[in-house]
Amino acid sequence: EVQLVESGGALVQPGGSLRLSCAASGFTFSSYWISWVRQAPGKGLEWVANIKEDGSDKYYVDSVKGRFTISRDNAKNSLYLQMNSLRAEDTAVYYCARQYNWNDGLDYWGQGTLVTVSS
Amino acid sequence: DIQMTQSPSTLSASVGDRVTITCRASQSISRLAWYQQKPGKAPKLLIYKASSLESGVPSRFSGSGSGTEFTLTISSLQPDDFATYYCQQYNSFPYTFGQGTKLEI
């Protein structure tokens, strides 16, 4: 069974840092692109970042460039999102989701982890 | 960045109705997906590449369109279909989502 399980969400003060993790199982993790997608409370979906299967290419939405870093460890079947200089507007549920290639959508999603940025 | 605009924002319908949701892209794309999301749950992929039905998704869901205009159609609404629907372009980075359409009873 395909599973993506996020962890690491917490309450953090503005300007603080947090590292999210996404543990994958039930599929060949190293063959998939993985994205982080977030959803602020009561709002729509916002794509945040993507990393290609071997970690060679990474992409970010403008609002997080220079603050967030996506990475992966294929030996551990894990994805990470290092979030620095956090702002109130980063408050959201963060999902990881997999994508096989350019032709496919985000076909499996984790259950999400909540990040709250507040003093 | 490619902007995605969905309409309507809210749609009221009844069980058995045929409903259509529209998504417009700010430039021509070929890679478009549709997702269903229920409260407190992760999104679920319904359609990819504009018209390909994801495995396990009921055939009452269909997608069509090309270029800048796309539609999601539910041929006969079932009680389980009342949810929020999002389109997403994955033609180029940054990926972008429409603002969502809430389908209400």
Side-chain angles (χ1 to χ4, degrees):
Chain A
E1 179 193 5
V2 173
Q3 281 198 312
L4 294 165
V5 180
E6 302 92 338
S7 61
L11 171 64
V12 61
Q13 291 190 337
S17 298
L18 205 58
R19 188 195 198 205
L20 304 184
S21 299
C22 171
S25 60
F27 66 100
T28 305
F29 180 71
S30 59
S31 295
Y32 285 77
W33 307 357
I34 309 289
S35 283
W36 287 101
V37 178
R38 67 185 179 183
Q39 186 168 36
K43 302 297 184 183
L45 300 170
E46 180 183 36
W47 175 84
V48 174
N50 173 282
I51 186 167
K52 294 295 178 70
E53 60 268 51
D54 61 358
S56 58
D57 293 312
K58 304 174 184 181
Y59 305 89
Y60 300 92
V61 68
D62 281 351
S63 59
V64 308
K65 280 181 184 175
R67 300 189 300 123
F68 289 12
T69 302
I70 188 171
S71 62
R72 65 191 296 162
D73 185 337
N74 286 344
K76 295 182 177 180
N77 289 342
S78 293
L79 173 78
Y80 308 101
L81 186 68
Q82 178 66 43
M83 304 187 295
N84 299 329
S85 303
L86 282 161
R87 306 166 179 166
E89 53 266 35
D90 296 318
T91 294
V93 173
Y94 285 72
Y95 297 99
C96 59
R98 75 171 199 179
Q99 178 183 4
Y100 187 61
N101 58 34
W102 267 121
N103 287 320
D104 293 349
L106 300 171
D107 66 346
Y108 275 91
W109 297 59
Q111 85 289 349
T113 189
L114 177 63
V115 173
T116 303
V117 184
S118 175
S119 55
Chain B
D1 298 0
I2 300 174
Q3 308 303 315
M4 306 301 293
T5 304
Q6 275 181 247
S7 60
S9 297
T10 306
L11 181 57
S12 296
S14 301
V15 173
D17 284 354
R18 177 185 180 91
V19 299
T20 297
I21 299 169
T22 298
C23 181
R24 289 184 174 86
S26 60
Q27 60 187 265
S28 182
I29 61 172
S30 58
R31 298 182 183 92
L32 181 110
W34 289 96
Y35 301 88
Q36 177 193 68
Q37 188 180 33
K38 296 181 179 179
K41 301 294 187 181
K44 174 187 175 183
L45 177 65
L46 301 174
I47 301 286
Y48 63 98
K49 272 198 305 182
S51 60
S52 297
L53 189 68
E54 175 68 0
S55 176
V57 174
S59 59
R60 63 180 180 273
F61 292 91
S62 64
S64 64
S66 63
T68 62
E69 187 156 335
F70 301 86
T71 59
L72 172 70
T73 299
I74 310 173
S75 60
S76 177
L77 274 173
Q78 299 302 302
D80 191 49
D81 299 338
F82 292 93
T84 300
Y85 293 83
Y86 295 92
C87 62
Q88 178 222 0
Q89 70 80 19
Y90 54 103
N91 218 66
S92 62
F93 292 108
Y95 293 168
T96 44
F97 289 88
Q99 78 278 18
T101 295
K102 186 175 182 181
L103 182 52
E104 301 179 327
I105 300 175

